[in-house]
Amino acid sequence: MELGAVGEPVVTHEDTQVKVGLDLKAETLILTSDGTDLVAYHALVEFAALRGEPWMAQQVKFSAHRPDGESTALVVDLLNEACDGPRENLPAVIWQVVALAATSAGDVGITYTLPAH
């Protein structure tokens, strides 16, 4: 395969989003949604920096197995309804996943601090 390129990429920082995926070790994170236990095996954390503001974690999308073995997804919104701070009453383990993703995101220049909750 031949590949060519010209130019130099420039990122605008007005509405920038970065998604960081994490493979989770089997059986280490069980999420409960509507009374059903879901065994998470992957998390995709979405970070955004709007109009030059600091980076914020917006959402985590978990890929998981249901008790019947079928795959499913569970999306957790991290921001409150006004989108100006963290959503209250999220399990601490969700923020642990965000912290793990933020560590990986540091490799691409994202600096992120967990919100106080």
Side-chain angles (χ1 to χ4, degrees), residues 28-68:
T28 59
L29 178 57
I30 298 174
L31 305 166
T32 303
S33 177
D34 297 326
T36 301
D37 287 344
L38 306 172
V39 180
Y41 59 86
H42 187 80
L44 185 64
V45 181
E46 182 179 292
F47 295 91
L50 307 176
R51 298 174 299 284
E53 297 285 325
W55 289 94
M56 296 188 311
Q58 296 187 128
Q59 186 180 81
V60 182
K61 181 178 180 182
F62 289 99
S63 298
H65 292 292
R66 297 188 313 226
D68 63 6

Side-chain angles (χ1 to χ4, degrees), residues 5 7 12 23 25 31 37 39 48-49 52-53 71 83 86-87 89 93 105:
T12 62
D23 289 325
K25 189 172 180 181
L31 305 166
D37 287 344
V39 180
E53 297 285 325
S71 291
C83 293
R87 184 173 297 280
N89 301 321
V93 70

